[in-house]
Amino acid sequence: MIQKLKLKYQKNKIWMYPLKYILVAFILLLITVAIDTRYYKFHKYIPHIFLTSISLAQTILGALVGSLLSITTFTFSTTMVVLTMYSSDFSPRVVENFLNEKITLKVLGMFMGGFFYSVSSLLFMRKSLGSDQVVSASIGVFYAILCMIYFAIFVNKVSSSIQASNLITKLHEEADDSIKNAKKYHEKSKAIYSYDVKDYKYEYPILSDSSGYLELVAYDAIFNDIKEGDYTLIIHPNNGDFVVRSETIATLYSKDEEIDENIIEKMNNHFTLQSTRDISYDYLFAIEKIVDVALRAISPGINDPNTARECINILGMLTSELSEINGNYSEKSDEESKSKLIYPSFNFDHDLFLTFYQIIIYGKEDLSVVLAVYKALENTMRNATFENRMHVKKFLEYLDDKSSDNFSNKTDREVIEMYKEKVLEAHQVQNKEKIEEMKEE
């Protein structure tokens, strides 16, 4: 339930900050109106320098209304320009990264809240107030100064956000956090490479009742539903996979023909499908954003191989982290129950291919890009588990097969062979270390 709320918050975060600042402005309005109308006896404690006449307050607040509305429009226009640039120069998938930046949302919220406060305060500026001296204008001025400070921070943020290196760093942090979340999500389950359901005579498909991207699965709730019997439930799609209506999203295997129909009916409530992907538990989507930036950089229209190499270096760090995890599935079980819940988790062979295959296809004629992929594989090989090194070696052959025909020059081939040998040397070194560890045990 908490995870669902977090996911909803991430999807609607763009509305939260403006609403929060408008709420703050509303509370501030109530306080100032209460003071100016002498509803509370705080007026005498306010320094005289902060009090203004009603006519001056109306002039100040009127000027603030126009100024804040104009600068809100300017901020919104700037945001649209940056979003357009993100979409054209980097990838449409990274647009939300700028839009969900706290400072972007705070600035819009501050200006909207300031406009709301100023125009609402004007409504109460009338001669029938308890005194000719009011404090609303002074508070409006302080609020406007705060808005200018936030605007300066916003301008600085925009100037840094449009730099490719800063965006790539942000995407790296985002992907790294997503992988850590996924690890934490699966750490309580047992990692396995395959499963066997031959002993079960009956199987019951669980069909999806809607279409969308699978973003969240309530594994604990599913296991609680089946642990009273002798079942094995296999979940087929992984987080981030697109599921269509009536697709088999899971299969329940049972040794008995009779089964509680309520189990089947309740299963769909434990799968959260959304129209868009979210990186919170979908680390492949976070990696895909970096891949998109790399592909756009090596495209003929932009032709920026150095940015592509920077992305590939980051991807090598991420695959290196994934290579430390064994298994293709996670198995959730309990000593007090005969039931098992099996679902896909980290599949390094699959993840490694999805990370680099597009870069290899579109950048196989660029030597700098190919060498960067070799270097990324070397870094991955150094940290990979004994089982995952064979996957790296297999992908090394795939890279060599795809790119070797494009480099007939002797010097190019020598450089490529040198990088390839470094990957194989890392494989041999790691194997020796593993053998020595096994001997010591």
Side-chain angles (χ1 to χ4, degrees), residues 400-408 413:
D400 188 55
D401 181 64
K402 285 288 185 180
S403 61
S404 58
D405 293 339
N406 299 303
F407 305 101
S408 57
R413 290 304 311 168

mmCIF file of all heavy atoms in Angstrom, residues 400-408 413:
data_model
loop_
_atom_site.group_PDB
_atom_site.id
_atom_site.type_symbol
_atom_site.label_atom_id
_atom_site.label_comp_id
_atom_site.label_asym_id
_atom_site.label_seq_id
_atom_site.Cartn_x
_atom_site.Cartn_y
_atom_site.Cartn_z
ATOM 1 N N ASP A 400 32.257 -8.220 -31.281
ATOM 2 C CA ASP A 400 33.298 -8.435 -32.288
ATOM 3 C C ASP A 400 32.684 -8.817 -33.635
ATOM 4 O O ASP A 400 33.119 -8.351 -34.698
ATOM 5 C CB ASP A 400 34.261 -9.517 -31.807
ATOM 6 C CG ASP A 400 35.469 -9.658 -32.723
ATOM 7 O OD1 ASP A 400 36.156 -8.649 -32.963
ATOM 8 O OD2 ASP A 400 35.710 -10.776 -33.207
ATOM 9 N N ASP A 401 31.660 -9.650 -33.604
ATOM 10 C CA ASP A 401 31.004 -10.089 -34.836
ATOM 11 C C ASP A 401 30.299 -8.935 -35.539
ATOM 12 O O ASP A 401 30.308 -8.842 -36.772
ATOM 13 C CB ASP A 401 30.018 -11.209 -34.504
ATOM 14 C CG ASP A 401 29.305 -11.742 -35.741
ATOM 15 O OD1 ASP A 401 29.988 -12.301 -36.614
ATOM 16 O OD2 ASP A 401 28.076 -11.561 -35.835
ATOM 17 N N LYS A 402 29.688 -8.039 -34.772
ATOM 18 C CA LYS A 402 28.937 -6.924 -35.357
ATOM 19 C C LYS A 402 29.831 -5.814 -35.900
ATOM 20 O O LYS A 402 29.470 -5.127 -36.871
ATOM 21 C CB LYS A 402 27.983 -6.333 -34.307
ATOM 22 C CG LYS A 402 26.755 -7.165 -34.019
ATOM 23 C CD LYS A 402 25.778 -7.105 -35.186
ATOM 24 C CE LYS A 402 24.488 -7.832 -34.867
ATOM 25 N NZ LYS A 402 23.523 -7.769 -35.995
ATOM 26 N N SER A 403 30.992 -5.614 -35.279
ATOM 27 C CA SER A 403 31.793 -4.441 -35.623
ATOM 28 C C SER A 403 33.061 -4.729 -36.412
ATOM 29 O O SER A 403 33.614 -3.824 -37.041
ATOM 30 C CB SER A 403 32.179 -3.692 -34.337
ATOM 31 O OG SER A 403 32.964 -4.523 -33.490
ATOM 32 N N SER A 404 33.548 -5.967 -36.399
ATOM 33 C CA SER A 404 34.859 -6.266 -36.978
ATOM 34 C C SER A 404 34.931 -5.964 -38.474
ATOM 35 O O SER A 404 35.968 -5.515 -38.980
ATOM 36 C CB SER A 404 35.228 -7.732 -36.726
ATOM 37 O OG SER A 404 34.251 -8.598 -37.283
ATOM 38 N N ASP A 405 33.856 -6.174 -39.205
ATOM 39 C CA ASP A 405 33.878 -5.963 -40.653
ATOM 40 C C ASP A 405 33.997 -4.497 -41.041
ATOM 41 O O ASP A 405 34.309 -4.182 -42.198
ATOM 42 C CB ASP A 405 32.610 -6.543 -41.287
ATOM 43 C CG ASP A 405 32.557 -8.060 -41.179
ATOM 44 O OD1 ASP A 405 33.630 -8.667 -40.985
ATOM 45 O OD2 ASP A 405 31.456 -8.630 -41.279
ATOM 46 N N ASN A 406 33.757 -3.589 -40.108
ATOM 47 C CA ASN A 406 33.791 -2.159 -40.409
ATOM 48 C C ASN A 406 35.183 -1.547 -40.270
ATOM 49 O O ASN A 406 35.357 -0.366 -40.587
ATOM 50 C CB ASN A 406 32.818 -1.404 -39.489
ATOM 51 C CG ASN A 406 31.384 -1.862 -39.671
ATOM 52 O OD1 ASN A 406 30.856 -1.821 -40.764
ATOM 53 N ND2 ASN A 406 30.766 -2.319 -38.594
ATOM 54 N N PHE A 407 36.150 -2.317 -39.783
ATOM 55 C CA PHE A 407 37.481 -1.769 -39.557
ATOM 56 C C PHE A 407 38.523 -2.691 -40.210
ATOM 57 O O PHE A 407 38.986 -3.660 -39.615
ATOM 58 C CB PHE A 407 37.757 -1.626 -38.053
ATOM 59 C CG PHE A 407 36.727 -0.812 -37.331
ATOM 60 C CD1 PHE A 407 35.730 -1.430 -36.578
ATOM 61 C CD2 PHE A 407 36.717 0.571 -37.414
ATOM 62 C CE1 PHE A 407 34.774 -0.693 -35.914
ATOM 63 C CE2 PHE A 407 35.757 1.324 -36.762
ATOM 64 C CZ PHE A 407 34.780 0.692 -36.015
ATOM 65 N N SER A 408 38.866 -2.358 -41.438
ATOM 66 C CA SER A 408 39.845 -3.152 -42.175
ATOM 67 C C SER A 408 41.260 -2.598 -42.026
ATOM 68 O O SER A 408 42.238 -3.286 -42.333
ATOM 69 C CB SER A 408 39.471 -3.206 -43.662
ATOM 70 O OG SER A 408 39.361 -1.897 -44.197
ATOM 71 N N ARG A 413 42.519 -2.309 -36.342
ATOM 72 C CA ARG A 413 42.387 -3.686 -35.861
ATOM 73 C C ARG A 413 43.307 -3.949 -34.675
ATOM 74 O O ARG A 413 42.928 -4.649 -33.731
ATOM 75 C CB ARG A 413 42.716 -4.674 -36.983
ATOM 76 C CG ARG A 413 41.701 -4.744 -38.108
ATOM 77 C CD ARG A 413 40.309 -5.063 -37.629
ATOM 78 N NE ARG A 413 40.275 -6.221 -36.729
ATOM 79 C CZ ARG A 413 39.232 -6.556 -35.996
ATOM 80 N NH1 ARG A 413 38.140 -5.806 -36.013
ATOM 81 N NH2 ARG A 413 39.257 -7.633 -35.239
#
